[in-house]
């Protein structure tokens, strides 16, 4: 018999065709295999039972990086063909093939990398069908060397042989190369002088010597400095204009990770995942890491090498090194050579460069773990552009524009939601350009022409403006916290309805105030706001985000009125306190907010942690770490009060505790526990009132695992099913998925013109 087989999913650039050839040889099946825009097509001829086993094995034994979403077969008339071959890629139809994310160097390639007898010994661009660059070098589909930036490097005879040999691990590995034919490294000083010698050894020596080095990586340039070298890391901070936000650190292996931080099994296995995210772990007190790596922070962001270049560099440096995005403060990561040399020359003392072009940028992904779970903080390199599945298909293609902070966008087609890598805070022309280019590239790569565009309700977000200026599309405004809950639903493949708890920094509400401590009854179509934290003024608007003591003033005024004696924060800010309280009472430049994030800010200032922040979420991060020591005590909240009735008693109990001299770490724990208990009670009450049994938790505040764990166990004890984020972040980096899911649901219901 002869069968035609169509395979769809992530089946290009992951060694699928060679795998099929190997399988055909093993089973003695004749025919051919090829790539086209939709995926892989195969024709297989042989005895009936053999062909059946062959088709079964396609699924059962697929390559590690392959994701088979659909496999269809149809009968063909046998041709009597013998042998099995790969046929040329076919172009022209609708593009449905999925581009694989970039994947960390595999064990086989690593063995060759460290084998002095191998022709790719220490070669920083070694790869095979199971690993290496993909998304960041692809310029078009179908995936083929000619549409990657590797087309600049014609293969030598030895590489061409491996590429053509069906029994070889590099059979049709598009980025295959070696020292004779592939990309090469160069070391250049900041002044532009090329230095002789081995570039990797030079870079390692400069790092050990305390210099800041720019390293061209996979999805962009990084800045590196020896992690144990305080002056080097401090210099990097100063030159990059990054005051206190922690830097990620690359360690050579898991043993090196354990020497710096307390890593449980979940953290270690996440570090080893082929997507290789940065993993946040509690720093050991004896860790040999400069203070400037993560000032006033008990956690370290660790990652293992994920490209051969990183492996060789880590071995040569022989010590952990900071590896942070190559940019100045809030700009997008540099990936273009000329741009990088220009922008980073004032930061880096030297450049470790190579001549393989990066076609699109992809920042590192970040996750944190807790016992039994994991919270994605940034879904980027290694994860994007693998699609997230929507709970039900989008009838028309959707572009979801995201919000402002930690922006990502998403293109949805059918069941697939393709989320972009991390773009950054959409606040300046540079990130907006990166955003617009990213959307254009994604549209081309996934052949999506959006008919529906989803956006935040905030009128001043650049993403909203971008959406509203698009022509010939139907615009769908999605409320910020509805989008958070919808993102959590889509993340879990659930359509709702649920009780949604959305706690975050700030999001535009339907009543024109700023929300962020919300209890919603929601499904993908719509939501009702059933409860929320008590709104208080944000004295000075944006100034209140930068200066948490202003939120302390607003909350204290709300809970205690003029009874503010004996509080250190009032004394510290004595010069401005009365003015700010007056400002907040007038309501001038003081928008109302129910934000949980701002409540954390207020508490951080009241316990004396900090009155001003240098990066978004800093006060909350530090308050959580203060609470991490843990205890079961909680500030009590009256039963049945809901979130609305919880704010004042919580603040009151805390003020009372502070006045009685309770230590800050005890206050921090009791506050966390009190808010968690109030949240559990409010969600439980809402669930029983509405007859619902599922609760979804979303919003950036749920990056806080002290809060998250207590809410999780409280809701579980109440017999409720709890949905948390697993694939996309609970913060605004996952928001576009929710927007897309809502727009798709409304379109399906005929609610989009
Ligand atoms: Zn490999
Ligand atoms: Zn070669
Ligand atoms: Fe948000």
């Amino acid at each position: 018999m002869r069968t035609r087989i169509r395979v769809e999913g992530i089946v290009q650039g992951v060694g699928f065709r060679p795998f099929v050839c190997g399988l055909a040889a093993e089973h003695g099946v004749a025919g051919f295999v090829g790539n086209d825009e939709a995926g892989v097509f195969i024709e297989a001829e042989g005895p009936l039972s053999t062909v059946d086993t062959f088709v079964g094995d396609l699924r059962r034994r697929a390559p590690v990086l392959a994701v088979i979403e659909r496999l269809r077969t149809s009968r063909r008339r046998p041709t009597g063909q013998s042998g099995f071959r790969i046929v040329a890629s076919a172009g022209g139809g609708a593009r449905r093939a999925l581009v694989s994310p970039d994947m960390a160097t595999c064990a086989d390639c690593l063995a060759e990398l460290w084998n002095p007898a191998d022709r790719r010994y220490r070669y920083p661009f070694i790869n095979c069908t199971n690993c290496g660059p993909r998304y960041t070098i692809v310029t078009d589909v179908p995936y083929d060397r000619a549409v990657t930036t590797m087309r600049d490097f014609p293969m030598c005879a030895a590489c061409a042989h491996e590429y053509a040999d069906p029994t070889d691990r590099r059979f049709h590995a598009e980025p295959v190369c070696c020292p004779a034919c592939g990309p090469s490294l160069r070391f250049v000083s900041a002044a532009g002088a090329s230095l002789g010698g081995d570039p990797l050894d030079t870079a390692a020596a400069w790092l050990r010597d305390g210099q800041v080095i720019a390293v061209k990586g996979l999805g962009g340039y990084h800045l590196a400095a020896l992690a144990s070298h305080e002056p080097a890391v401090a210099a990097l901070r100063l030159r990059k204009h990054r005051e206190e936000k922690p830097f990620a650190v690359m360690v050579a292996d898991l043993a090196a990770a354990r020497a710096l931080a307390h890593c449980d099994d979940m953290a270690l296995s996440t570090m080893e995942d082929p997507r290789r995210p940065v993993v946040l772990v509690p720093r050991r007190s004896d860790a040999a890491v400069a203070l400037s790596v993560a000032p006033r922070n008990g956690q370290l962001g660790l990652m293992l090498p994920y490209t051969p270049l990183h492996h060789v560099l880590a071995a040569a440096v022989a010590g952990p090194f900071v590896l942070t995005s190559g940019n100045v403060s809030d700009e997008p990561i540099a990936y273009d050579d000329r741009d990088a040399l220009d922008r980073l020359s004032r930061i880096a003392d030297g450049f470790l460069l190579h001549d393989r072009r990066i076609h699109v940028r992809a920042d590192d992904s970040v996750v944190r773990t807790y016992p039994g779970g994991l919270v994605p903080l940034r879904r980027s390199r290694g994860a994007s552009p693998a699609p997230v599945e929507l709970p039900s298909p989008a009838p028309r293609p959707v572009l979801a524009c995201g919000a402002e902070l930690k922006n990502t966008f998403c293109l949805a087609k059918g069941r697939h939601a393709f989320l972009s890598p991390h773009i950054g805070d959409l606040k300046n022309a540079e990130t907006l350009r990166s955003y617009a280019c990213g959307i254009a590239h994604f549209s081309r790569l996934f052949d999506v022409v959006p008919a529906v565009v989803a956006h935040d309700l905030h009128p001043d977000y650049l993403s909203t403006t971008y959406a509203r200026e698009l022509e010939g599309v139907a615009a769908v405004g999605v409320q910020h916290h509805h989008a958070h809950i919808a993102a959590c639903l889509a993340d879990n493949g659930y359509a709702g309805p649920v009780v949604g708890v959305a706690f975050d920094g700030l999001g535009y509400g339907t009543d024109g105030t700023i929300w962020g401590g919300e209890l919603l009854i929601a499904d993908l179509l719509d939501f009702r706001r059933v409860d929320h934290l008590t709104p208080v003024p944000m004295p000075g608007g944006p100034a209140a985000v930068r200066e948490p003591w202003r939120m302390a003033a607003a909350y204290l005024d709300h809970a205690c009125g003029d009874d503010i004696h004996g509080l250190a924060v009032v004394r510290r800010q004595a010069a401005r306190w009365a003015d700010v309280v007056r400002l907040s009472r007038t309501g001038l430049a003081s928008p109302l907010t129910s934000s949980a994030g701002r409540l954390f800010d207020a508490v951080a200032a009241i316990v004396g942690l900090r009155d001003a922040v240098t990066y978004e979420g800093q006060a909350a991060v530090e308050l959580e770490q203060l609470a991490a020591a843990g205890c079961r005590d909680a500030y009590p909240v009256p039963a049945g009060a809901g979130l609305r009735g919880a704010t004042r008693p919580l603040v009151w109990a805390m003020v009372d505790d502070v006045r009685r001299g309770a230590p800050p770490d005890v206050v921090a724990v009791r506050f966390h526990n009190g808010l968690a208990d109030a949240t559990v009670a409010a969600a439980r009450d809402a669930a029983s009132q509405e007859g619902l049994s599922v609760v979804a938790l979303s919003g950036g505040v749920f990056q806080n695992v002290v809060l998250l764990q207590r809410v999780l166990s409280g809701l579980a004890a109440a017999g409720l099913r709890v949905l948390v984020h697993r694939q996309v972040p609970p913060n605004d980096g996952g928001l576009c998925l929710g927007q897309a899911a809502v727009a798709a649901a409304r379109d399906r219901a005929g609610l989009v013109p």
Side-chain angles (χ1 to χ4, degrees):
M1 73 172 286
R2 189 178 181 91
T3 297
R4 182 159 178 99
I5 307 154
R6 270 232 140 268
V7 192
E8 294 179 19
I10 302 184
V11 289
Q12 296 187 2
V14 293
F16 206 85
R17 287 173 301 173
F19 153 71
V20 173
C21 281
L23 209 57
E26 188 183 312
H27 290 290
V29 162
F32 57 80
V33 58
N35 277 349
D36 62 13
E37 288 88 346
V40 166
F41 58 88
I42 304 164
E43 288 200 9
E45 183 168 328
L48 179 67
S49 66
T50 312
V51 172
D52 276 351
T53 325
F54 171 79
V55 173
D57 278 353
L58 285 176
R59 263 192 197 283
R60 275 194 294 276
R61 291 164 52 188
V64 280
L65 299 185
V67 179
I68 297 182
E69 297 189 330
R70 213 140 65 118
L71 191 151
R72 281 172 300 162
T73 57
S74 56
R75 275 292 183 77
R76 283 286 189 280
R77 190 185 300 277
T79 64
Q81 176 192 1
S82 65
F84 199 92
R85 62 199 171 87
I86 291 189
V87 297
S89 291
R95 296 169 185 189
R96 295 201 303 276
L98 304 182
V99 178
S100 166
D102 306 281
M103 285 295 163
T105 314
C106 73
D108 290 335
C109 284
L110 270 186
E112 293 170 350
L113 184 68
W114 296 124
N115 176 6
D118 194 276
R119 67 192 187 92
R120 295 188 181 88
Y121 176 58
R122 286 186 94 233
Y123 181 57
F125 302 95
I126 188 171
N127 67 80
C128 74
T129 49
N130 299 319
C131 72
R134 297 289 188 277
Y135 168 68
T136 53
I137 60 166
V138 170
T139 58
D140 205 351
V141 286
Y143 180 65
D144 220 343
R145 190 178 182 100
V147 292
T148 72
T149 60
M150 282 303 293
R151 72 154 185 244
D152 303 348
F153 303 94
M155 282 182 274
C156 69
C159 287
H161 183 79
E162 291 170 328
Y163 183 87
D165 177 0
T167 66
D168 197 279
R169 199 173 88 249
R170 297 198 168 83
F171 183 47
H172 278 264
E174 306 302 347
V176 70
C177 59
C178 75
C181 65
S184 56
L185 292 177
R186 203 151 61 88
F187 190 87
V188 179
S189 75
S194 268
L195 274 74
D198 180 81
L200 273 161
D201 290 341
T202 309
W206 280 47
L207 282 172
R208 283 196 305 270
D209 196 37
Q211 313 278 350
V212 174
I213 304 295
V215 179
K216 184 173 177 183
L218 190 59
Y221 278 72
H222 280 110
L223 290 159
L226 198 65
S228 58
H229 199 294
E230 177 60 33
V233 183
L236 171 56
R237 237 176 226 298
L238 193 70
R239 297 179 202 166
K240 196 173 140 75
H241 300 301
R242 181 141 135 169
E243 288 162 89
E244 292 179 307
K245 197 172 177 187
F247 286 142
V249 171
M250 181 167 274
V251 288
D253 50 32
L254 292 181
R258 282 206 202 88
L260 297 184
H262 301 285
C263 308
D264 61 11
D265 290 347
M266 178 67 97
L268 293 173
S269 64
T270 309
M271 268 179 224
E272 272 197 305
D273 185 288
R275 286 168 288 194
R276 284 289 197 283
V278 175
V279 182
L280 300 192
V281 275
R283 171 211 296 247
R284 293 175 64 106
S285 55
D286 60 349
V289 162
L291 273 178
S292 289
V293 170
R296 295 181 54 150
N297 198 308
Q299 300 225 306
L300 285 175
L302 300 184
M303 71 178 143
L304 296 181
Y306 53 88
T307 69
L309 189 160
H310 294 138
H311 279 285
V312 180
L313 183 63
V317 176
F321 50 94
V322 164
L323 202 60
T324 184
S325 320
N327 55 11
V328 179
S329 61
D330 296 328
E331 293 172 359
I333 187 169
Y335 72 105
D336 174 79
D337 294 329
R338 194 172 307 170
D339 175 53
L341 288 168
D342 181 44
R343 277 162 62 193
L344 304 180
S345 62
R346 281 177 300 278
I347 304 178
D349 301 304
F351 287 80
L352 182 59
L353 303 172
H354 63 72
D355 50 359
R356 186 179 72 203
R357 285 178 292 128
I358 299 171
H359 186 67
V360 286
R361 52 167 73 90
D363 272 277
D364 294 319
S365 294
V366 187
V367 307
R368 71 180 299 192
T369 59
Y370 58 93
L374 148 176
V375 187
L377 302 185
R378 181 194 283 174
R379 184 181 186 273
S380 195
R381 191 252 320 142
S384 174
V388 176
E389 198 171 313
L390 291 173
S392 41
R396 289 185 287 170
V398 178
L399 164 66
C401 293
E404 180 175 76
L405 300 179
K406 304 179 168 68
N407 181 280
T408 58
F409 64 83
C410 158
L411 282 177
K413 186 168 76 165
R415 276 193 173 274
H416 287 148
F418 302 100
L419 274 74
S420 73
H422 172 75
I423 306 271
D425 297 348
L426 262 193
K427 284 179 169 176
N428 55 49
E430 193 52 42
T431 39
L432 185 63
R433 193 154 40 238
S434 161
Y435 175 78
C437 288
I439 292 174
H441 184 59
F442 257 50
S443 301
R444 179 172 171 77
L445 221 48
F446 301 109
D447 193 30
V448 181
V449 182
V452 177
V453 57
H455 60 81
D456 200 86
L457 296 183
H458 200 302
D460 300 333
Y461 284 173
L462 291 178
S463 59
T464 306
T465 317
Y466 179 90
R468 289 190 176 153
E469 282 172 0
L470 290 178
E471 281 169 18
V473 294
V476 177
V478 183
Q479 198 280 324
H480 191 90
H481 302 94
H482 181 211
H484 271 306
I485 298 303
C488 185
L489 291 177
D491 192 325
N492 288 276
Y494 193 73
V498 292
V499 175
V501 182
F503 283 178
D504 70 350
L506 303 169
Y508 201 79
T510 51
D511 59 0
T513 71
I514 299 169
W515 296 4
E518 311 305 309
L519 204 87
L520 314 176
I521 304 299
D523 57 17
L524 295 178
L525 265 184
D526 216 344
F527 75 99
R528 263 185 308 127
R529 186 192 198 200
V530 292
D531 194 7
H532 53 83
L533 292 172
T534 311
V536 299
M538 275 171 66
V545 178
R546 293 189 300 269
E547 300 180 5
W549 74 268
R550 288 172 180 261
M551 290 315 301
Y555 272 103
L556 288 173
D557 193 45
H558 165 69
C560 313
D562 291 322
D563 180 15
I564 49 168
H565 68 91
L567 291 170
V569 63
V570 184
R571 282 197 301 276
R572 285 197 306 275
Q573 300 296 338
R576 296 188 289 175
W577 193 272
D579 285 346
V580 163
V581 169
R582 204 174 306 121
L583 181 70
S584 79
R585 284 179 187 171
T586 61
L588 278 174
S590 303
L592 286 175
T593 184
S594 53
S595 161
R598 296 290 84 80
L599 175 58
F600 273 86
D601 282 357
V603 175
I606 293 169
V607 303
L609 256 182
R610 60 169 58 250
D611 288 349
V613 296
T614 64
Y615 64 91
E616 192 253 337
Q618 184 178 19
V621 165
E622 293 176 0
L623 190 68
E624 180 197 341
Q625 293 185 7
L626 197 61
C631 77
R632 307 300 302 166
D633 294 1
Y635 295 131
V637 174
L643 289 177
R644 221 186 255 102
T647 324
R648 194 193 298 257
L650 268 177
V651 175
W652 233 112
M654 176 179 58
V655 167
D656 198 40
D657 215 16
V658 169
R659 279 177 181 152
R660 276 192 264 176
D665 56 337
V666 173
V667 176
V669 182
R670 288 174 177 162
F671 165 73
H672 271 82
N673 291 349
L675 181 62
D677 293 355
T679 305
V680 169
R684 195 187 49 214
D685 293 352
S688 77
Q689 246 160 49
E690 304 285 334
L692 296 171
S693 60
V694 185
V695 179
L697 307 178
S698 191
V701 170
F702 282 109
Q703 297 170 127
N704 180 327
V705 303
V706 173
L707 182 78
L708 175 67
Q709 285 177 281
R710 185 147 169 139
V711 172
L712 272 175
S713 61
L715 290 171
L720 293 160
R721 180 179 166 210
V722 191
L723 306 179
V724 294
H725 285 266
R726 300 171 307 169
Q727 306 179 69
V728 307
N731 62 45
D732 286 4
L735 201 79
C736 62
L737 176 64
Q739 295 174 335
V742 170
R746 291 203 184 141
D747 197 21
R748 205 164 42 248
L751 300 173
V752 179

